Amino acid sequence: LGDGVDGFADDRTDIRHWVPSAPVEGLAADAVWLDIDAGQQVAALRRGKELLYVTVVSSGTSGRHATPLGIYELTDKTAWGDMASRAGADEVYHVENVPWVAHFWPRYALHGAFWHWGFGNRASHGCINLAPRDAIALLEALEPLQPLGWHSVYATDDHPGAVIRIRDGLSAVRDKR
């Protein structure tokens, strides 16, 4: 509970854990995809039903900065990119060289975040923030695959982007692919 004060962790607010769920319908049994539980602030890399990698994330805060729930496909990946608020935004920000960026919806992405250490808690403007080490591990496993030395790659009909599902617990979400 604080320095020198004994206590217990509250598993409703202090502990993050993976909540298993059924795979997205229609995926091949061996498809590699990402399952994000915004309620627990946890992302799981999966191959079909198999769990490959689990980590904590920071999704968007509530209101205007909420992360959109749904099923998406990655549209592009880049080694790094600049991110900025929209013109006229109440909260202005500009971050250069954001590492390991993968967009799933216009202006929404998975990406590394080197500016905070609050993973496991909502902290972003809507994107899914990952520790840089986790970001590269996940993005290297998800389609479209980015050849060594390339800065950017885009999903195509021949090489579609990996499916990601962003949910809150076990509640159903809309397919927005």
Side-chain angles (χ1 to χ4, degrees):
L1 298 177
D3 289 338
V5 179
D6 292 334
F8 298 92
D10 181 345
D11 68 353
R12 293 169 297 163
T13 58
D14 298 337
I15 297 174
R16 303 293 176 224
H17 60 277
W18 170 241
V19 177
S21 63
V24 171
E25 288 185 25
L27 288 182
D30 63 346
V32 176
W33 62 288
L34 191 62
D35 195 8
I36 299 169
D37 183 346
Q40 284 295 323
Q41 296 293 292
V42 171
L45 182 67
R46 300 174 71 177
R47 180 180 294 115
K49 294 180 182 180
E50 180 185 4
L51 193 57
L52 303 175
Y53 189 99
V54 177
T55 189
V56 290
V57 301
S58 289
S59 68
T61 58
S62 61
R64 291 187 331 243
H65 300 304
T67 299
L69 304 179
I71 299 169
Y72 305 92
E73 285 183 352
L74 294 182
T75 59
D76 61 84
K77 293 190 324 192
T78 186
W80 55 266
D82 297 346
M83 292 191 171
S85 56
R86 292 179 190 258
D90 293 339
E91 296 177 43
V92 177
Y93 65 90
H94 182 92
V95 183
E96 295 179 342
N97 300 324
V98 174
W100 310 114
V101 179
H103 287 94
F104 60 88
W105 197 250
R107 296 192 56 86
Y108 291 95
L110 312 166
H111 60 77
F114 53 79
W115 52 88
H116 75 79
W117 298 100
F119 301 105
N121 297 290
R122 295 175 189 271
S124 83
H125 286 93
C127 289
I128 302 291
N129 288 187
L130 298 151
R133 182 177 291 190
D134 291 330
I136 192 170
L138 294 177
L139 271 55
E140 282 183 338
L142 296 169
E143 293 280 348
L145 297 181
Q146 194 166 353
L148 186 63
W150 284 34
H151 180 271
S152 301
V153 65
Y154 294 87
T156 66
D157 290 340
D158 293 335
H159 299 283
V163 168
I164 70 166
R165 175 176 59 195
I166 304 170
R167 59 189 172 90
D168 188 350
L170 297 175
S171 299
V173 294
R174 289 184 40 215
D175 193 330
K176 299 180 179 182
R177 291 179 277 179

